[in-house]
Amino acid sequence: MPTQINSIENLKERAEKSGCECFIQLNGCRSSKHISYDKDSGKFWVCHYIDGSDEYLTEKEIMDSAISNIGNAMNKGALFADGD
């Protein structure tokens, strides 16, 4: 059963060990991603399954809606981790 991710701290915790499979719920559709977090660099690695693209984002960037939709989804309760 999916678990809602509702804070940057929760995302860091889930993504730090071996990364996590996440999705953003979009009007009945899912945008799936693999998200890892490297504590030493303070960056998230996000792989977008829809097209195989990836990016490295700081906490500030991941929360900036002009750069990423992950923070906005988290704030709206639309970011989930698979499993657990």
Side-chain angles (χ1 to χ4, degrees), residues 1-64:
M1 176 166 217
T3 303
Q4 188 178 47
I5 298 174
N6 54 15
S7 71
I8 195 73
E9 292 78 20
N10 186 238
L11 179 60
K12 285 179 182 178
E13 181 182 300
R14 290 180 167 280
E16 188 175 353
K17 295 175 183 149
S18 59
C20 63
E21 302 301 314
C22 297
F23 65 91
I24 296 172
Q25 190 67 45
L26 302 168
N27 299 322
C29 297
R30 288 169 51 139
S31 175
S32 298
K33 302 158 183 338
H34 180 87
I35 303 175
S36 300
Y37 179 70
D38 179 44
K39 190 175 183 177
D40 293 333
S41 70
K43 290 192 175 186
F44 292 90
W45 174 68
V46 182
C47 177
H48 305 276
Y49 288 141
I50 193 166
D51 62 4
S53 66
D54 67 338
E55 57 191 338
Y56 289 91
L57 302 169
T58 64
E59 178 179 335
K60 184 177 179 180
E61 291 170 330
I62 213 165
M63 296 304 292
D64 185 339

Side-chain angles (χ1 to χ4, degrees), residues 60-81:
K60 184 177 179 180
E61 291 170 330
I62 213 165
M63 296 304 292
D64 185 339
S65 62
I67 298 171
S68 172
N69 61 355
I70 295 171
N72 192 34
M74 192 182 328
N75 289 334
K76 290 184 176 185
L79 180 64
F80 297 89

